[in-house]
């Protein structure tokens, strides 16, 4: 007898009570497909020389597991214990409750997205946010696109297509792989004119390349690195003056722009959008989901005539933000109308300003439950940590923090494998736990641990299987 003949037919399996019940829940089509795949898998396993369990119970369990996996939403909450607060791979800023509510409301029903309720006519989708940004930054006008990379692309394409844009060699940034200033320039149709050197660029370097083909001057905030030592860069007011002498606009890509001076809450200083405008910038671009603490978006503020040109570029239509983004952004910016309460109302700022003593106390509370759940194979210690703001904001500054360090109880052979196994299991939790492994130690920075009870509740998972 051929072994594979022991594997039941799809039709027979589908008639078992367990699969009939699954079909009620997940739909017949999904169950049929999962059953086919399960049986194919068994046949393959057999051909490869193993003896899989082909009982009805085992098959039903496999089909159910597949159906559950397929119906689950793949984007899910995780515990970000990496120590990087605005972590690009983990979704950057957590949104304010007000922003989440606004987003849900916009998603649920029709809205006045592009409808002027006062006049009963078509309206502009960006205009409520533009009004807020004007008030909050002092700019003449504003525009919203999907992210700051799009904002820079739109700006360069509108002002600089078939023209030259001089940029300091010290500012030809790469933000996470795909966003490289020289590449964006090329795609925007501009010719990049590199000016100065990596560490030093002077005003005369810019002055020498100004010509009839120059479109604008651009300063890029070196948000994810710092040039230190023997350095020189041209202050913004001087670049603005040079651009204006030639009748050209001066633009600044701030990256992680902030609307308020963060040093009032003990955070490192970042230039604000208002200061940058006051320093002579005609256009400023920045992200919605970095220090601003809102949804992914690119914001452009500045001179009304230039914003109008950007708005008319057909590319703007391809980059326009959707209603959920606009709802969340509007609600986030509304919180800035009362800046004194921001550390309470804006989660990103709340996490960034958490007192180190609070985080250390949390580490003390979690040490024993974690050690208990991990068993004899691991030791847990409380440690001080240094959190990063993340997303290219203030790369050399860090925030005093605290956390837990987990290492294998016995060093030597197998210790690394055991630790890797542990991090795999933590990532497989219903709400995955993401830490950082270095030199055989798994470090959990607790600055962003908002749901302590949820974290402890999950530790029981370590004792199963
Ligand atoms: C982050 C950043 C960008 C890209 O912004 P996204 O919102 O991630 O698209 C561009 N320029 C600078 C200086 C940045 O820091």
């Amino acid at each position: 007898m051929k072994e594979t003949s022991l594997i039941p037919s799809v039709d027979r399996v589908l008639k078992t009570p367990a699969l009939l019940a699954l079909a009620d829940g997940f739909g017949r089509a999904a169950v049929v497909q999962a059953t086919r795949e399960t049986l194919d898998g068994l046949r393959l396993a057999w051909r490869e020389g193993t003896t899989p369990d082909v009982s009805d119970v085992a098959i039903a369990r496999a089909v159910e597991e597949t159906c559950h996996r397929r119906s689950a939403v793949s984007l899910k909450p995780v515990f970000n214990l990496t120590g990087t607060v605005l972590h690009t791979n983990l979704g950057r800023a957590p949104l304010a409750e007000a922003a989440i509510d606004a987003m849900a409301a916009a998603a649920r029903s029709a809205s006045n997205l592009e409808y002027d309720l006062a006049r009963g006519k078509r309206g502009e989708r960006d205009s409520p946010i533009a009004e807020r940004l004007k008030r909050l930054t002092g700019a003449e006008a504003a525009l919203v696109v999907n992210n700051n990379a799009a904002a820079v692309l739109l700006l360069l394409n509108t002002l600089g297509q078939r023209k030259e844009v001089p940029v300091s060699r010290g500012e030809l940034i790469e933000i996470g792989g795909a966003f490289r200033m020289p590449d964006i320039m090329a795609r925007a149709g501009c010719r990049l004119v590199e000016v100065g050197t990596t560490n030093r660029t002077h005003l005369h370097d810019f002055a020498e390349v100004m010509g009839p083909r120059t479109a604008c001057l651009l300063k890029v905030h070196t948000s994810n690195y710092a040039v230190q030592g023997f350095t020189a860069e041209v202050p913004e007011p001087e670049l603005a003056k040079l651009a204006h002498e030639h009748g050209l606009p001066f633009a600044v890509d701030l990256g992680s722009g902030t609307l308020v001076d963060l040093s009032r809450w003990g955070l490192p200083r970042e230039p604000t959008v208002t200061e940058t405008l006051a320093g002579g910038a005609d256009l400023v671009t920045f992200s919605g989901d970095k220090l601003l603490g809102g949804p992914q978006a690119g914001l452009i503020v500045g001179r009304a005539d230039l914003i109008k040109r950007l708005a008319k570029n057909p590319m703007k239509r391809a980059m326009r933000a959707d209603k959920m983004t606009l709802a969340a952004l509007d609600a986030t910016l509304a919180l800035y109308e009362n800046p004194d309460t921001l550390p309470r109302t804006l989660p990103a700022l709340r996490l960034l300003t958490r007192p180190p003593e609070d985080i250390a106390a949390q580490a003390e509370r979690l040490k024993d439950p974690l050690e208990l759940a991990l068993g004899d194979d691991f030791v847990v210690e409380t440690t001080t940590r240094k959190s990063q703001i993340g997303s290219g904001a203030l790369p050399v500054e860090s925030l005093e923090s605290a956390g837990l360090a987990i290492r294998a109880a016995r060093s030597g052979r197998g210790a690394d494998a055991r630790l890797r196994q542990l991090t795999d299991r933590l990532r497989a939790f219903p709400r995955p736990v993401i830490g950082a492994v270095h030199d055989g130690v798994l470090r959990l920075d607790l600055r962003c641990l908002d749901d302590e009870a949820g974290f402890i509740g999950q530790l029981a998972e370590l004792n199963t299987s």
Side-chain angles (χ1 to χ4, degrees), residues 92 147-150 152 173 175 179 181 220-224 253-256 287-290 296-297 391-392:
R92 290 193 185 162
N147 47 48
N148 189 37
V152 174
I173 58 165
I175 308 274
F179 183 93
M181 197 45 90
V220 185
H221 189 55
T222 54
S223 36
N224 55 1
D253 174 21
L254 261 189
S256 192
S287 288
D289 54 350
K290 292 185 180 173
Q296 179 189 303
S391 276

Side-chain angles (χ1 to χ4, degrees), residues 13 15 48 59 81 102 130 136 140 153-154 173 194 204 217 277-278 289 317 322 337 349 386 403 405 436 445:
V13 175
K15 292 203 183 83
E48 285 172 349
I59 291 169
L81 307 187
L136 294 168
E140 281 175 19
L153 182 61
L154 181 66
I173 58 165
E194 296 185 25
H204 63 80
L217 288 184
L277 289 166
D289 54 350
R317 176 62 175 75
D322 83 308
E337 311 260 9
L349 198 57
K386 288 204 183 298
D445 184 318

Side-chain angles (χ1 to χ4, degrees), residues 26 34 37-38 62-74:
F26 293 102
E37 289 172 15
T38 302
V63 171
E64 182 171 10
E65 204 268 321
T66 302
C67 289
H68 268 296
R69 195 158 23 84
R70 299 252 160 97
S71 64
V73 176
S74 51

Side-chain angles (χ1 to χ4, degrees), residues 259-275:
L259 299 178
V260 287
D261 178 1
L262 299 173
S263 64
R264 64 182 278 198
W265 295 294
L267 291 171
R269 252 193 80 73
E270 268 276 284
T272 67
V273 176
T274 307
E275 286 163 6

Side-chain angles (χ1 to χ4, degrees), residues 12 33 93 109 117 127 139 156 173 184 219 235 255 261 285 297 300 308 324 343 348 354 381 422-423 425 433 435:
R12 196 186 73 65
Q33 193 180 3
S109 81
L117 289 171
S127 63
L156 288 170
I173 58 165
I184 293 279
K219 184 159 179 69
D261 178 1
T285 61
I300 312 176
K308 199 176 253 173
M324 262 100 74
R354 258 190 91 188
E381 281 166 9
L422 174 63
T423 58
R425 293 184 73 186
V433 174

